[in-house]
Amino acid sequence: MRELLSQLRDWHTAGTPFALATVVGVRGSAPRAPGALMAVAATGAVAGSVSGGCVESDVYEVATETLTTGRTELRTYGISDDEAFGVGLTCGGTIEVLVQPFVTAADRDGLRELVDTVAAGEPVALATVVSGAAPPGARRVVLTGRVSGSLGDEGLDAAVTDDARGLLAQGATGSVRYGAHGERRMQDVTVFVQTYAPAPRMLVFGAIDHAAATARIGSFLGYRVTVCDARPAFATRERFPTADEVVCAWPHTYLESTPVDARTVVCVLTHDPKFDVPLLAAALRTPAAYIGVMGSRRTHADRIARLREAGVGEAELTRLASPVGLDLGARTPEETAVSIAAEIIQHRWGGTGRPLGELAGAIHHDRGGA
């Protein structure tokens, strides 16, 4: 949704009807995860992707059709090969795509609430009926303190609202099944719940060229990026135009005063003991998902010794990714930023960091498939 915000807003403002295609189910290997979106306007314009190119042409045709009929459509795309006559996935998996038209102003206004909420960084979940004994395409928007829309039954609305808030707290997206009136452990209705939590944070410490490159790639990966440095001449908006915020403060002081959760990544690029030691001691007390630290092996050994003297335990020290990044042979700040980003992705999803051509088995560690 975030990558489509600007386009959807423009279409809404112009009063342009559009259809929204959402991946609501994945079995085996597939290019995109549940929740991937593609939008097709009545003008023929397209934004987003549901499969990286495998089935986009057919989804486009279905979307165009729904703009005429006004009906929600559910399509399944499976394996394709040289003898296949239909459109399919070359990777061997199966995806289900729900295509919904937003033709009337009322339909578009309902989605605009969701778009504005996501843009504001507020947590929100969108529950949509995929199939079964409820109106297909019926939607319910669930926020922390309020809801809007209905799936057609009070009991179903109540059950879905509870589950959507639970999924939202976990940052999870997926399908849930119910009885026609919201009964648990029944299969009459399938509801796809897509959650939009605020973007995870990337905290970059040290206003150097490597930090500018890291901030750029962090934004590209969907992080809300903060660059922090104690030196006023370096911590400027002009030097970091892609960062969401630039803070001039002592790093450890700022870190101790800002929210850090289990999705936050911390990149320490200062390699100066007077900054690094108090900053890392503070960082290791947080639940941050990743703490990467720049510096040579000699610098890292000295840093570890200083942290031990400061009372940091061995278990905490093992959380440090230093020297930061994967071994890509990086030389420039931009190449180093790619190396850091690669290590963050590897840490998040449990990858090996080795070339895929050298490995067998699942490519996508989180959902299986060849």
Side-chain angles (χ1 to χ4, degrees), residues 96-183:
E96 291 183 314
V97 179
L98 187 71
V99 185
Q100 301 170 266
F102 293 83
V103 177
T104 69
D107 284 341
R108 294 193 298 275
D109 286 344
L111 189 65
R112 179 60 186 263
E113 178 188 23
L114 176 69
V115 168
D116 289 344
T117 302
V118 173
E122 298 177 38
V124 58
L126 174 64
T128 306
V129 174
V130 172
S131 62
R139 295 178 295 274
R140 187 167 177 83
V141 177
V142 180
L143 296 95
T144 303
R146 61 187 176 86
V147 297
S148 64
S150 174
L151 306 183
D153 180 87
E154 290 185 5
L156 182 60
D157 283 344
V160 169
T161 298
D162 286 345
D163 288 345
R165 285 182 171 144
L167 289 168
L168 190 57
Q170 300 169 24
T173 285
S175 293
V176 190
R177 292 172 177 81
Y178 306 91
H181 305 292
E183 300 92 339

Side-chain angles (χ1 to χ4, degrees), residues 3-294:
E3 66 271 22
L4 302 184
L5 287 177
S6 176
Q7 186 63 80
L8 292 178
R9 277 179 159 170
D10 288 347
W11 291 342
H12 182 278
T13 300
T16 302
F18 59 86
L20 199 58
T22 307
V23 176
V24 297
V26 170
R27 294 188 296 278
S29 181
R32 302 294 304 276
L37 294 171
M38 173 177 160
V40 178
T43 60
V46 180
S49 170
V50 292
S51 75
C54 299
V55 302
E56 262 69 8
S57 294
D58 192 71
V59 172
Y60 178 89
E61 296 299 329
V62 175
T64 302
E65 180 183 331
T66 67
L67 290 173
T68 301
T69 65
R71 294 196 302 266
T72 294
E73 298 285 347
L74 178 65
R75 296 298 174 92
T76 300
Y77 299 95
I79 188 171
S80 69
D81 55 37
D82 292 340
E83 297 180 359
F85 292 99
V87 176
L89 300 177
T90 58
C91 53
T94 300
I95 63 172
E96 291 183 314
V97 179
L98 187 71
V99 185
Q100 301 170 266
F102 293 83
V103 177
T104 69
D107 284 341
R108 294 193 298 275
D109 286 344
L111 189 65
R112 179 60 186 263
E113 178 188 23
L114 176 69
V115 168
D116 289 344
T117 302
V118 173
E122 298 177 38
V124 58
L126 174 64
T128 306
V129 174
V130 172
S131 62
R139 295 178 295 274
R140 187 167 177 83
V141 177
V142 180
L143 296 95
T144 303
R146 61 187 176 86
V147 297
S148 64
S150 174
L151 306 183
D153 180 87
E154 290 185 5
L156 182 60
D157 283 344
V160 169
T161 298
D162 286 345
D163 288 345
R165 285 182 171 144
L167 289 168
L168 190 57
Q170 300 169 24
T173 285
S175 293
V176 190
R177 292 172 177 81
Y178 306 91
H181 305 292
E183 300 92 339
R184 308 289 180 174
R185 297 187 297 278
M186 296 183 70
Q187 308 287 317
D188 298 330
V189 181
T190 299
V191 178
F192 182 70
V193 180
Q194 188 163 6
T195 63
Y196 300 94
R201 301 189 70 193
M202 172 182 280
L203 306 179
V204 181
F205 294 96
I208 61 175
D209 289 346
H210 288 82
T214 301
R216 287 196 296 273
I217 202 166
S219 296
F220 176 75
L221 292 176
Y223 286 93
R224 177 175 176 80
V225 179
T226 298
V227 176
C228 176
D229 195 292
R231 300 166 296 178
F234 290 85
T236 66
R237 169 57 62 187
E238 292 73 20
R239 285 170 54 81
F240 302 96
T242 64
D244 293 283
E245 58 181 349
V246 180
V247 176
C248 184
W250 275 83
H252 73 282
T253 301
Y254 173 72
L255 183 64
E256 290 171 343
S257 66
T258 195
V260 175
D261 62 24
R263 300 187 301 152
T264 303
V265 299
V266 177
C267 301
V268 179
L269 310 181
T270 49
H271 51 81
D272 183 333
K274 69 176 177 290
F275 293 119
D276 287 0
V277 173
L279 171 59
L280 292 174
L284 290 169
R285 292 194 294 268
T286 73
Y290 170 89
I291 305 172
V293 195
M294 179 174 281

